[in-house]
Short mmCIF file of all heavy atoms in Angstrom, two decimals:
data_model
loop_
_atom_site.label_atom_id
_atom_site.label_comp_id
_atom_site.label_asym_id
_atom_site.label_seq_id
_atom_site.Cartn_x
_atom_site.Cartn_y
_atom_site.Cartn_z
N PHE A 172 86.51 107.08 120.15
CA PHE A 172 86.15 106.70 121.48
C PHE A 172 85.43 107.81 122.24
O PHE A 172 84.33 107.60 122.90
CB PHE A 172 87.44 106.52 122.37
CG PHE A 172 87.26 105.91 123.63
CD1 PHE A 172 87.13 104.64 123.94
CD2 PHE A 172 87.13 106.80 124.78
CE1 PHE A 172 86.88 104.23 125.33
CE2 PHE A 172 86.92 106.38 126.00
CZ PHE A 172 86.83 104.98 126.24
N HIS A 173 85.79 109.07 122.03
CA HIS A 173 85.03 110.26 122.65
C HIS A 173 83.76 110.43 121.95
O HIS A 173 82.78 110.96 122.73
CB HIS A 173 85.98 111.41 122.52
CG HIS A 173 86.95 111.51 123.55
ND1 HIS A 173 87.23 112.69 124.37
CD2 HIS A 173 87.95 110.56 124.00
CE1 HIS A 173 88.22 112.44 125.09
NE2 HIS A 173 88.68 111.18 124.92
N ASP A 174 83.48 109.99 120.92
CA ASP A 174 82.16 110.05 120.30
C ASP A 174 81.33 108.97 120.86
O ASP A 174 80.20 109.38 121.23
CB ASP A 174 82.30 109.94 118.68
CG ASP A 174 80.90 109.93 118.04
OD1 ASP A 174 80.11 110.89 118.34
OD2 ASP A 174 80.60 109.11 117.30
N CYS A 175 81.69 107.82 120.88
CA CYS A 175 80.79 106.66 121.25
C CYS A 175 80.39 106.73 122.78
O CYS A 175 79.35 106.31 123.12
CB CYS A 175 81.59 105.38 121.00
SG CYS A 175 81.66 104.98 119.33
N PHE A 176 81.18 107.29 123.59
CA PHE A 176 80.94 107.56 125.03
C PHE A 176 80.04 108.60 125.42
O PHE A 176 79.55 108.78 126.53
CB PHE A 176 82.25 107.62 125.83
CG PHE A 176 82.64 106.42 126.60
CD1 PHE A 176 83.28 105.28 126.02
CD2 PHE A 176 82.29 106.35 127.95
CE1 PHE A 176 83.56 104.09 126.87
CE2 PHE A 176 82.60 105.20 128.67
CZ PHE A 176 83.27 104.11 128.11
N VAL A 177 79.69 109.42 124.35
CA VAL A 177 78.83 110.60 124.61
C VAL A 177 77.61 110.41 123.71
O VAL A 177 77.64 110.65 122.56
CB VAL A 177 79.41 111.87 124.40
CG1 VAL A 177 78.58 113.00 124.71
CG2 VAL A 177 80.78 111.99 125.19
N ASN A 178 76.48 109.90 124.28
CA ASN A 178 75.23 109.77 123.51
C ASN A 178 75.33 108.83 122.31
O ASN A 178 74.54 108.84 121.28
CB ASN A 178 74.75 111.06 123.06
CG ASN A 178 74.43 111.99 124.18
OD1 ASN A 178 73.97 111.59 125.20
ND2 ASN A 178 74.69 113.31 124.04
N GLY A 179 76.32 107.83 122.34
CA GLY A 179 76.41 106.79 121.38
C GLY A 179 77.35 107.22 120.15
O GLY A 179 77.66 108.40 119.96
N CYS A 180 77.51 106.15 119.35
CA CYS A 180 78.43 106.43 118.03
C CYS A 180 77.59 107.04 117.09
O CYS A 180 77.13 106.33 116.04
CB CYS A 180 78.95 105.05 117.69
SG CYS A 180 79.88 104.20 118.95
N ASP A 181 77.46 108.41 117.10
CA ASP A 181 76.59 109.19 116.19
C ASP A 181 77.21 110.40 115.56
O ASP A 181 76.55 111.20 115.01
CB ASP A 181 75.24 109.55 116.85
CG ASP A 181 75.45 110.54 118.09
OD1 ASP A 181 76.71 110.76 118.31
OD2 ASP A 181 74.45 111.11 118.56
N ALA A 182 78.59 110.46 115.64
CA ALA A 182 79.33 111.65 115.09
C ALA A 182 78.97 112.83 115.70
O ALA A 182 79.28 113.92 115.19
CB ALA A 182 79.16 111.68 113.57
N SER A 183 78.37 112.93 116.99
CA SER A 183 78.12 114.17 117.58
C SER A 183 79.25 114.93 117.99
O SER A 183 79.29 116.25 118.03
CB SER A 183 77.12 113.90 118.73
OG SER A 183 77.80 113.14 119.72
N VAL A 184 80.42 114.30 118.21
CA VAL A 184 81.64 114.94 118.48
C VAL A 184 82.22 115.75 117.33
O VAL A 184 82.96 116.68 117.53
CB VAL A 184 82.71 113.96 119.02
CG1 VAL A 184 83.25 113.14 117.81
CG2 VAL A 184 83.82 114.57 119.80
N LEU A 185 81.69 115.51 116.14
CA LEU A 185 82.12 116.21 114.96
C LEU A 185 81.42 117.63 114.72
O LEU A 185 81.96 118.34 113.90
CB LEU A 185 82.03 115.32 113.71
CG LEU A 185 82.69 114.05 113.74
CD1 LEU A 185 82.39 113.27 112.42
CD2 LEU A 185 84.17 114.14 114.01
N LEU A 186 80.26 117.75 115.38
CA LEU A 186 79.55 118.88 115.25
C LEU A 186 80.18 120.20 115.91
O LEU A 186 80.52 120.14 116.98
CB LEU A 186 78.20 118.77 115.74
CG LEU A 186 77.19 117.69 115.13
CD1 LEU A 186 75.92 117.58 115.88
CD2 LEU A 186 76.89 118.28 113.63
N ASP A 187 80.20 121.19 115.10
CA ASP A 187 80.69 122.55 115.54
C ASP A 187 79.60 123.27 116.44
O ASP A 187 78.41 122.90 116.30
CB ASP A 187 81.08 123.51 114.47
CG ASP A 187 82.27 123.01 113.68
OD1 ASP A 187 83.06 122.29 114.31
OD2 ASP A 187 82.49 123.33 112.48
N GLY A 188 80.00 124.23 117.13
CA GLY A 188 79.01 125.01 118.01
C GLY A 188 79.58 125.57 119.26
O GLY A 188 80.58 124.92 119.83
N SER A 189 79.13 126.61 119.68
CA SER A 189 79.68 127.32 120.95
C SER A 189 79.49 126.40 122.12
O SER A 189 80.28 126.57 123.13
CB SER A 189 79.13 128.62 121.14
OG SER A 189 77.61 128.53 121.29
N THR A 190 78.64 125.41 122.21
CA THR A 190 78.34 124.68 123.32
C THR A 190 78.39 123.15 122.94
O THR A 190 77.84 122.41 123.66
CB THR A 190 76.99 124.99 123.97
OG1 THR A 190 75.98 124.83 123.10
CG2 THR A 190 76.96 126.43 124.51
N SER A 191 79.03 122.85 121.80
CA SER A 191 79.07 121.35 121.39
C SER A 191 79.98 120.66 122.15
O SER A 191 80.78 121.24 123.00
CB SER A 191 79.33 121.43 119.95
OG SER A 191 80.82 121.72 119.68
N GLU A 192 80.05 119.38 121.99
CA GLU A 192 81.05 118.42 122.71
C GLU A 192 82.40 118.96 122.58
O GLU A 192 83.33 118.68 123.42
CB GLU A 192 80.84 116.96 122.25
CG GLU A 192 79.49 116.34 122.67
CD GLU A 192 79.25 114.98 121.90
OE1 GLU A 192 80.34 114.31 121.66
OE2 GLU A 192 78.12 114.68 121.63
N GLN A 193 82.73 119.36 121.41
CA GLN A 193 84.15 119.85 121.03
C GLN A 193 84.59 120.98 122.05
O GLN A 193 85.83 121.08 122.28
CB GLN A 193 84.30 120.37 119.73
CG GLN A 193 84.13 119.34 118.53
CD GLN A 193 84.26 120.09 117.21
OE1 GLN A 193 85.11 120.93 117.02
NE2 GLN A 193 83.58 119.44 116.24
N THR A 194 83.76 121.70 122.72
CA THR A 194 84.06 122.71 123.56
C THR A 194 84.40 122.20 124.99
O THR A 194 84.83 123.00 125.81
CB THR A 194 83.09 123.74 123.68
OG1 THR A 194 81.76 123.31 124.14
CG2 THR A 194 82.76 124.42 122.27
N ALA A 195 84.06 121.05 125.36
CA ALA A 195 84.32 120.38 126.70
C ALA A 195 85.77 120.30 126.94
O ALA A 195 86.55 120.07 126.00
CB ALA A 195 83.64 119.13 126.89
N SER A 196 86.26 120.59 128.13
CA SER A 196 87.71 120.57 128.46
C SER A 196 88.27 119.17 128.05
O SER A 196 89.45 119.22 127.59
CB SER A 196 87.97 120.93 129.91
OG SER A 196 87.32 119.95 130.74
N THR A 197 87.54 118.19 128.33
CA THR A 197 88.21 116.85 128.19
C THR A 197 88.37 116.52 126.52
O THR A 197 89.14 115.70 126.22
CB THR A 197 87.25 115.75 128.59
OG1 THR A 197 87.87 114.48 128.66
CG2 THR A 197 85.96 115.65 127.85
N ASN A 198 87.72 117.39 125.77
CA ASN A 198 87.82 117.27 124.29
C ASN A 198 88.79 118.35 123.67
O ASN A 198 88.84 118.49 122.44
CB ASN A 198 86.47 117.37 123.72
CG ASN A 198 85.60 116.13 123.80
OD1 ASN A 198 86.19 114.96 124.10
ND2 ASN A 198 84.34 116.18 123.88
N SER A 199 89.45 119.00 124.45
CA SER A 199 90.17 120.16 123.88
C SER A 199 91.40 119.77 123.13
O SER A 199 91.92 120.63 122.23
CB SER A 199 90.72 121.01 125.05
OG SER A 199 91.49 120.29 125.98
N HIS A 200 91.91 118.56 123.17
CA HIS A 200 92.93 118.18 122.33
C HIS A 200 92.64 117.05 121.33
O HIS A 200 93.48 116.43 120.82
CB HIS A 200 94.12 117.69 123.37
CG HIS A 200 94.64 118.70 124.30
ND1 HIS A 200 95.34 119.69 123.79
CD2 HIS A 200 94.54 118.88 125.66
CE1 HIS A 200 95.84 120.50 124.84
NE2 HIS A 200 95.27 120.02 125.93
N LEU A 201 91.39 117.02 121.05
CA LEU A 201 90.99 116.11 119.98
C LEU A 201 91.61 116.50 118.75
O LEU A 201 91.60 117.81 118.29
CB LEU A 201 89.53 115.93 119.91
CG LEU A 201 88.67 115.19 121.04
CD1 LEU A 201 87.34 115.22 120.83
CD2 LEU A 201 89.29 113.80 121.24
#
Side-chain angles (χ1 to χ4, degrees):
F172 185 89
H173 280 228
D174 180 49
C175 292
F176 249 82
V177 182
N178 301 325
C180 304
D181 64 354
S183 57
V184 74
L185 303 179
L186 290 172
D187 291 339
S189 59
T190 60
S191 73
E192 292 170 33
Q193 292 182 32
T194 66
S196 60
T197 190
N198 287 335
S199 60
H200 296 292
L201 290 179

